[in-house]
Amino acid sequence: MTLRVSPGLKAAAEQAAHLDHRSLTGLIEVLILNHCKNQDIPVSDPMKETST
Protein backbone atom coordinates (compact mmCIF):
# COMPACT_ATOMS: atom_id res chain seq x y z
CA MET A 1 0.00 0.00 0.00
CA THR A 2 1.27 3.44 -0.85
CA LEU A 3 -0.13 6.55 0.78
CA ARG A 4 0.38 10.16 -0.19
CA VAL A 5 -0.30 12.64 2.56
CA SER A 6 0.65 16.23 3.21
CA PRO A 7 3.97 16.81 4.98
CA GLY A 8 2.12 18.19 8.01
CA LEU A 9 -0.08 15.11 8.34
CA LYS A 10 2.93 12.83 7.93
CA ALA A 11 4.81 14.70 10.66
CA ALA A 12 1.82 14.46 13.00
CA ALA A 13 1.43 10.74 12.28
CA GLU A 14 5.13 10.13 12.91
CA GLN A 15 4.88 11.96 16.23
CA ALA A 16 1.76 9.98 17.19
CA ALA A 17 3.50 6.72 16.30
CA HIS A 18 6.56 7.69 18.33
CA LEU A 19 4.45 8.60 21.37
CA ASP A 20 2.65 5.25 21.07
CA HIS A 21 5.99 3.40 20.70
CA ARG A 22 4.99 2.14 17.25
CA SER A 23 6.27 2.39 13.74
CA LEU A 24 4.28 4.55 11.35
CA THR A 25 3.10 1.39 9.63
CA GLY A 26 2.05 -0.12 12.96
CA LEU A 27 0.10 3.00 13.87
CA ILE A 28 -1.75 3.00 10.54
CA GLU A 29 -2.55 -0.70 10.92
CA VAL A 30 -3.96 -0.20 14.43
CA LEU A 31 -6.04 2.78 13.28
CA ILE A 32 -7.52 0.81 10.38
CA LEU A 33 -8.23 -2.24 12.54
CA ASN A 34 -9.91 -0.10 15.21
CA HIS A 35 -12.01 1.69 12.60
CA CYS A 36 -13.11 -1.61 11.06
CA LYS A 37 -13.98 -2.99 14.51
CA ASN A 38 -16.06 0.12 15.31
CA GLN A 39 -17.89 -0.20 11.97
CA ASP A 40 -18.43 -3.98 12.35
CA ILE A 41 -16.31 -4.67 9.27
CA PRO A 42 -14.82 -8.17 9.48
CA VAL A 43 -11.05 -8.40 9.13
CA SER A 44 -9.19 -11.70 8.87
CA ASP A 45 -6.40 -12.26 11.39
CA PRO A 46 -3.65 -9.85 10.27
CA MET A 47 -0.95 -12.05 11.83
CA LYS A 48 -1.83 -14.87 9.41
CA GLU A 49 -1.83 -12.61 6.35
CA THR A 50 1.17 -12.10 4.12
CA SER A 51 1.41 -9.52 1.40
CA THR A 52 2.56 -10.52 -2.05
Side-chain angles (χ1 to χ4, degrees), residues 2 4-5 15 17 20-22 27 36-38 46 48-49:
T2 302
R4 290 182 185 252
V5 297
Q15 183 177 5
D20 208 26
H21 305 286
R22 296 182 186 277
L27 176 69
C36 289
K37 181 179 176 182
N38 291 337
K48 294 181 183 177
E49 297 283 324

Side-chain angles (χ1 to χ4, degrees), residues 14-46:
E14 288 172 336
Q15 183 177 5
H18 176 75
L19 291 172
D20 208 26
H21 305 286
R22 296 182 186 277
S23 65
L24 186 53
T25 299
L27 176 69
I28 292 168
E29 185 174 90
V30 166
L31 293 172
I32 292 170
L33 288 170
N34 287 342
H35 180 75
C36 289
K37 181 179 176 182
N38 291 337
Q39 297 296 315
D40 295 320
I41 299 170
V43 177
S44 59
D45 185 350

